[in-house]
Amino acid sequence: MRFEVGSALSIGAILFTVIIVAAMLIWVERRLLGLWQERLGPNRVGPFGLLQVVADMIKIFAKEDWVPPFADRFSFLLAPPIIMVVILMSFSVIPFAPGVGVIDSDIGVLFVLAMASLGAYSVMLGGLSSNNKYALLGSLRAAAQMVSYEVFMGISLLGVVALAGTFNLREIVLSQADGWYILPQCVGFVIFLIAGVAESHRLPFDIPEAEQEIVAGYHTEYSGMKFGMFFVGEYLGVVLVSSLIVVLFFGGWLGPAFLPPIVCFVLKASVFVAFFVLLRAAIPRPRYDQLMNYGWLFLLPLSLLNLLLTGAFVLWQEGM
Amino acid sequence: MLRLLKDTLVSQVVTLWKVFLHAFDKTDTVEYPDVKPQMFSRWRGRIILSRDPDGEERCVACNLCAVACPVDCIALQKAEDEEGRWYPEFFRINFSRCIMCGFCEEACPTHAIQLTPDFEMAEYVRQDMVWEKEDLLINGTGKYHDYNFYRIAGKKIGGKDKGEARNEAVPVNVRSLLP
Amino acid sequence: MAKISVDGIKYEVNAANNLLQECLSQGLDLPYFCWHPCMGSVGACRQCAVKQYRNAEDTTGTLVMACMTPVTDGGLYSIQDSQAVDFRSHVIESLMISHPHDCPVCEEGGECHLQDMTQMSGHNYRRYDFQKVTHRNQDLGPFINHEMNRCIACYRCVRFYGDYAGGTDLVALASHHHVYFGRHEEGTLESEFSGNLVEVCPTGVFTDKTFSAHYSRKWDLQTAPSICTGCGAGCNTTPGERYGSLRRVVNRYHHDLNGYFLCDRGRFGYDANNSAERVKEALFVQAQINGNAEVPARKPLSATEAARQFNAMAGGDVIGIGSPRASLESNIALQQRVGAENFYPGINDDELASAREVLALMREPGLHCPDIRSLEQSDCVLVVNEDLTNTAARMALALRQATRNAATTMAAAARIPAWQDAAVRELAQHERSPLIILSPQGTRLDDVASDTFLGSVARQVQLLEAIAHCLDPEYSVSSRDPSLTSRAKAIAQALSAARRPCIVSGISAQSTALVRASGNLARALQKARKGDADAPVGLCFAMPEANTLGLVLLAESTGNTLSGALQRLAQKRADAAVVLENDLFRRAATAEVAQALAGHTPLIVIDHLHNAFNARARLLLPAASPSESNGTWVNYEGRAQSAYRVFAPAEPVRAAYEWLTPADPVLLPSISSEEILAQFADAHSAFAVLKDLLPHRLGLSAVMKSPRQLPRYSGRTAMQANSHVHEYRQTQDPQSPLSFSMEGVPLQKDASLLSAAWAPGWNSNQAISKFQDEINGELRQGCKGVHLLQSGQAQASYAPIVLPSEGDLAPYFIEHLFGSEEISAKAVAIQARTVGPYACIGEALAQTLGVAQHGRILLKAGERQVQLPVLIRQRIAPGSIGIYCAGELDRYSLAGGVTVEAVPEAPDLLLRSREMFRHLVISDSWQGRDES
């Protein structure tokens, strides 16, 4: 069996790696938070506390698989797999390295955006079916937040698409051979980064699950492996957004010749994963109205302006 | 506009940077129980009952610790020996309720009840956290070495008659006509 | 009404009072020591200094003692003035210079007026560094602890003990800073009211010795409003519980009844509750095989088993015998269980007959039954036969105050305000309002009596009739004795001259003739006063037990008597008998009871103390004591008052009504006392007023309970932790307006369920002033009880009297405050003051018999013979012999008449008798003004 785009081996390896990485992120995040907060973080289970994840897994699998009697059973059970599935699906279009990927799609960017939109259903269903006021509040917040930020997430990407002239992510990477899009699209990058944090509802934009206000938001009633799916889904989201940033703005696997492309990609992505953790360690959560105002009144005009300028530049370049 | 940028974007970036720099600071965590922490003598840990310099129980069962206790975890009963000395018949602290606030020590007029630096009090059975007087009483004066309540109070006890406490005159002879 | 201004705020006050009293009435905080609401002012402690200004321009002002300053209309005063504040803080500092720094080991600590006032005056650090004056203490007997070092010389103790209560053996000794409050030598305090020293003393000089033996701070006591069951006066008390045992009883203010004071029986008798003789198990007599023989043995049952057994036994035709020392609810429950026709009042027939006479008299419109406060205000009192100091001591204390009304009148004439205590006493000297005592022997009130008549019951009846005849010539006397005429005239004159005359008697002699004669006299007096409706003649009868009147009222509908029940038992005309909290050996002649028991009807007794009678029960159920159960008690006036359980007893002990009510002991819960009362009041119109006692009528408590525990109650999570570390659920009592916790309506807002008085800054019992609408006034929102007796039809005619026949030697029965009452006699401290049975004879008889003081005589009554030690008294009616039964002798077999023989002396017995009589307090030293 050859290791090429779309091969079973490739698919299997990617699926396995992505899930393992997402799981390990639990440990990575806690250690990094400890580092930045002058603590130690989990260091008791295994060397450097590496087996903490295993311990957590054992705990989460061993928990009773319980559905609250007042919840809507079908949608309650349906919600957690959705988020897992849509995010894993998004990974299928990510070009990790030459020859490493699931499909080479011409509508890669659109596919990712589409999948991100579907993720909102998971959160919505989870919150509504729980039949719990905190869960409902959380899911309402999540829906509003995800729908809003999707708008300019998409618009911010259009600059890159315009420059590359394609929706195919693999081609976008290749088109950055002469220079990464971070330079011409730095505004787009910042907007995408912010929107990405909001999409994966990570701190500081974890308003849907703000534990100081609404217990645990949309997953208040979840426990055991169903909660685990939400939990791992969140870390998968982190990996996905980091990968997308690398692919769209930092030249994907492109790098110095002495490094294998996949290593280059992983290194770049790791930086952004760490950055996500740093955000959590440093920035406090905004108020809900601040979040919405910020999105609609600041980021949206800014992303439109960015698109306008990029479009003008592309037209001007073509005209020359 | 610039001000808005500074307030929103720049300050966030500065924050991120400053937090990032914490990566190079020393961690504050003490790895208990591998490393035993150095406790201060005024640490509010396990409660003891002390004895006065004469070796007698200091506690006079006045109930002030019990009433000061915000979680009501002290119960005791006063008893009195033949010569008038008050002492607790039983003295019980429910450590599973105790919040180590130290109010009892502050309320104690005889320095009998004191909090010590010992904090390792976990038990597997909650009932074992109920301590009686036999468990609480130590053979020493604790943190306060010289105080002896009965040497100051005017009540007569065995070994100290009326007029023998600090600053006391000999008892009045009621039948005397002298001024 | 006068308008005054204190610190710029205007108040409307009563001009008849002093400034201190009015400031306190207005809720102002002003420290004081020597002043007492009931004892007036003497201005000794200098603590209540305030500024008085001449007029609005006067900014300097004068320091005056508020307690010695009459309130003047338009007066300007300042409590907050810096000079007054400074003065008060210096006064308290000098009062405290010898205070011994022993609050932690002082029983008063935490409810100490001195602590409160020191805080209030702002003295918190000792500057005086010279030597403290110290004193040696005295042993003042089983009730009172003495710690003289703590004294601040306010003189309240001797003013109460001597001036108010008439005690002679507590005085101020020595002088200047050596002043000493004690007895001339160590020994038991003689006064029957010595316990009040504990509450009167502002600090810990006099403390409760019985309380100290199982001490607990005031804030740790679980308390509830209760009624004293020591006698029929119905004094309000606050018993306190800690760790499942009753710790003490203190006074609970009641405007009409006990006011601020209790007698020592009420205060120290509580310890019977903790007695070793308490019935703590349900005991059932079962045949047990011992070897080959079947021997009946008492076997303890669990609560459920006992309830089942009770239900199995108490089916069919069951006799119920009620009790005057059980609550109204328990008696009602028993009556409803067995049916009215099977319910018998458990008191002697003669007593019942007397009590029924009393009921009739009390319903008569022209007469009124004075409460204790009205007794205090009476200006002429005639006491008939009853030794009130020993049967209803609080009433005796009131009569002692009544004799001071002459002094008050004189003072008013001389324009001295009544609160100027020392001045009023100085003015009056020995001038007293008339108090006339008819009694077979000298009483403890003789020292203030204007006239005492020593005579047997028959002689007293004769005298009463003679007086009545003097007042109303139409009154026909059944037997005239000319020797009594001059006496009768004098008494009649005193009575008719009085504005508020009172006749006080009782039923302890169990003589209907006496009751009728007293009633006839009251009618004659009322007629002679031409039916003055404004001030009807007071007539009241002390009741021997807390619920005598309640029981008699309950059994009124049927003519049932105890002897009827005993006959039925003897003739086996019942399937079973349920005896409620009663020792029938005390109620009827031993032979009669023995005959009834010989009928072998299954006997069920519900009681809380073991006694000779319930030892014979087939099934003995443990009852809760009065402080462990809710109850309504009907006092001598017919006033029903509620007592709430202070704490729930440990299973299987249950309140009697809880044993009696459930139809199915396992499946159905027992009916609460409130429901019993409500249902009964609904069904019987005569008792409809009882519903006013029920909690839902009491405002806020309908939705929120009142706490039984003070806010500082401590140790909740540790007190039972030795047995179980998880806290037990608090006792549930859904019907009750009181909760078994600290939560509930803040007490300072509602005095209707006031148990322990407490107000911010006022931890001592003096906090009661914060709950009164004015000093000495009624409690705000307080429930005073309801009167069960309504005036009925006018019965103008005199009742016919049959003079009791008396032999050569008429026996009368002596009562003692300590020992006569069945329950309190089981208290350890009370037992130290009790004596065994004895006989009391006059000197003439002693000489005839040749008996020396404390020697022995042989008493013969029919078949019965008993040897008794003798007390020879100077003051005893000729031809009478007093017998003290001490709960051991059967008075009913001796009542018919006795003969006496001398017994040769035995030195060891003599010694024992002497020892026994050592603590007996009688007042023979008071020579009567003339002997009969």
Side-chain angles (χ1 to χ4, degrees), chain C residues 668-897:
Chain C
L668 299 173
S670 47
I671 303 170
S672 73
S673 60
E674 287 83 0
E675 279 172 74
I676 296 174
L677 210 60
Q679 287 170 8
F680 184 73
D682 283 338
H684 300 80
S685 59
F687 292 90
V689 284
L690 281 176
K691 287 199 94 172
D692 292 343
L693 288 176
L694 290 172
H696 62 87
R697 299 292 176 101
L698 299 173
L700 256 185
S701 51
V703 284
M704 217 176 170
K705 293 191 177 225
S706 277
R708 276 186 176 81
Q709 297 165 358
L710 284 172
R712 291 179 189 149
Y713 192 82
S714 80
R716 276 185 311 167
T717 65
M719 49 202 296
Q720 289 164 321
N722 56 331
S723 62
H724 198 227
V725 73
H726 302 279
E727 282 93 51
Y728 291 91
R729 192 183 188 199
Q730 65 196 40
T731 313
Q732 298 299 302
D733 198 352
Q735 300 275 324
S736 164
L738 291 157
S739 68
F740 287 92
S741 73
M742 306 180 246
E743 291 81 19
V745 186
L747 271 178
Q748 49 272 52
K749 301 224 173 90
D750 189 354
S752 57
L753 295 164
L754 180 70
S755 43
W758 180 87
W762 294 77
N763 299 299
S764 75
N765 56 2
Q766 313 280 319
I768 194 70
S769 72
K770 299 283 176 190
F771 298 87
Q772 294 166 329
D773 49 9
E774 59 174 339
I775 298 295
N776 287 331
E778 310 231 348
L779 287 180
R780 277 184 213 131
Q781 309 169 35
C783 181
K784 291 164 50 173
V786 295
H787 284 276
L788 287 179
L789 296 174
Q790 269 80 37
S791 287
Q793 297 302 309
Q795 190 206 1
S797 60
Y798 295 110
I801 292 172
V802 182
L803 203 64
S805 61
E806 284 168 355
D808 297 336
L809 198 54
Y812 67 92
F813 293 94
I814 300 170
E815 304 275 345
H816 280 303
L817 189 64
F818 308 121
S820 281
E821 200 266 329
E822 190 182 344
I823 302 304
S824 65
K826 300 282 171 78
V828 178
I830 298 274
Q831 276 171 346
R833 294 285 304 271
T834 54
V835 291
Y838 68 90
C840 186
I841 55 175
E843 278 164 335
L845 182 59
Q847 264 170 14
T848 331
L849 290 169
V851 185
Q853 180 67 300
H854 304 162
R856 279 178 175 260
I857 54 168
L858 183 71
L859 229 61
K860 283 186 181 169
E863 302 280 292
R864 226 177 121 67
Q865 293 192 353
V866 59
Q867 266 195 32
L868 287 178
V870 158
L871 182 69
I872 301 169
R873 289 191 65 161
Q874 296 161 3
R875 295 178 46 67
I876 179 167
S880 290
I881 176 169
I883 302 167
Y884 176 57
C885 299
E888 296 169 28
L889 295 186
D890 166 20
R891 75 178 269 181
Y892 306 102
S893 60
L894 299 173

Side-chain angles (χ1 to χ4, degrees), chain C residues 342-582:
Chain C
N342 284 330
F343 180 74
Y344 295 85
I347 53 176
N348 185 265
D349 294 1
D350 292 336
E351 193 179 354
L352 181 65
S354 314
R356 286 191 168 146
E357 293 285 338
V358 169
L359 275 185
L361 282 172
M362 285 170 66
R363 288 188 174 123
E364 210 169 299
L367 310 172
H368 102 114
C369 181
D371 53 38
I372 292 179
R373 175 163 286 233
S374 309
L375 279 182
E376 273 176 16
Q377 287 158 354
S378 168
D379 54 354
C380 176
V381 183
L382 174 67
V383 178
V384 181
N385 189 62
E386 196 77 359
D387 183 4
L388 284 173
T389 315
N390 287 311
T391 58
R394 187 61 189 81
M395 291 167 83
L397 189 62
L399 295 190
R400 191 173 282 281
Q401 308 320 309
T403 62
R404 286 204 66 217
N405 284 320
T408 326
T409 318
M410 285 171 74
R415 299 199 167 192
I416 298 174
W419 46 263
Q420 279 278 17
D421 192 55
V424 173
R425 281 180 198 279
E426 195 63 30
L427 177 74
Q429 296 294 334
H430 292 295
E431 201 62 44
R432 293 193 183 91
S433 301
L435 169 66
I436 304 139
I437 299 176
L438 320 185
S439 168
Q441 62 170 8
T443 70
R444 294 275 285 155
L445 275 176
D446 289 358
D447 57 329
V448 288
S450 58
D451 189 11
T452 54
F453 172 83
L454 296 179
S456 64
V457 169
R459 294 279 293 165
Q460 289 179 44
V461 171
Q462 277 181 318
L463 179 60
L464 288 171
E465 290 203 278
I467 303 168
H469 182 71
C470 290
L471 289 165
D472 177 13
E474 288 172 29
Y475 183 81
S476 59
V477 176
S478 53
S479 73
R480 195 180 298 268
D481 183 350
S483 66
L484 295 172
T485 314
S486 64
R487 187 106 197 231
K489 267 188 183 147
I491 297 173
Q493 199 175 11
L495 283 172
S496 50
R499 287 193 53 239
R500 294 180 299 273
C502 271
I503 298 163
V504 183
S505 184
I507 60 166
S508 62
Q510 308 189 348
S511 158
T512 45
L514 204 61
V515 175
R516 285 186 179 187
S518 306
N520 285 350
L521 173 58
R523 288 180 190 124
L525 182 56
Q526 183 67 5
K527 207 169 163 190
R529 288 158 60 83
K530 304 195 174 57
D532 188 353
D534 291 341
V537 173
L539 173 66
C540 65
F541 296 86
M543 287 293 144
E545 275 156 294
N547 216 3
T548 305
L549 221 48
L551 178 68
V552 175
L553 273 171
L554 208 57
E556 210 180 10
S557 55
T558 62
N560 285 350
T561 59
L562 180 62
S563 57
L566 293 175
Q567 267 168 25
R568 264 182 77 179
L569 287 178
Q571 293 161 4
K572 300 188 197 176
R573 284 193 288 124
D575 294 334
V578 181
V579 178
L580 173 68
E581 299 183 30
N582 216 336

Side-chain angles (χ1 to χ4, degrees), chain B residues 60 62-64 66-67 71-78 80 86 90 92 94 96-97 109 126-127 130 132 147 149-150 152-155 161-163 167-172 174-175 178-179, chain C residues 100-102 104-107 129 131-137 147 149 173-174 176 178 180 184 212 214-215 217 219-220 243 247 712-719 721-722 724-727 742:
Chain B
V60 298
C62 72
N63 277 291
L64 288 182
V67 72
V71 291
D72 285 347
C73 74
I74 304 178
L76 67 154
Q77 173 60 51
K78 171 244 169 183
E80 192 172 336
W86 285 30
F90 68 83
R92 185 180 307 130
N94 182 353
S96 72
R97 288 285 187 191
R126 197 175 150 199
Q127 188 68 51
V130 179
E132 299 286 342
Y147 189 68
F149 169 75
Y150 278 113
I152 292 163
K155 198 170 195 302
D161 200 2
K162 279 282 169 76
N167 263 359
E168 276 191 350
V170 289
V172 165
V174 178
R175 289 182 169 75
L178 293 173
Chain C
H101 188 91
D102 63 352
V105 290
C106 173
E107 288 89 345
D129 212 18
Q131 289 195 320
K132 296 176 182 177
V133 177
T134 62
H135 298 278
R136 295 218 177 271
N137 302 329
E147 183 61 54
N149 276 1
L173 304 164
H176 55 91
H178 288 173
Y180 186 93
H184 69 289
S212 186
H214 39 225
Y215 183 68
R217 295 276 175 211
W219 61 68
D220 279 344
Y243 301 132
R247 297 303 174 92
R712 291 179 189 149
Y713 192 82
S714 80
R716 276 185 311 167
T717 65
M719 49 202 296
N722 56 331
H724 198 227
V725 73
H726 302 279
E727 282 93 51
M742 306 180 246

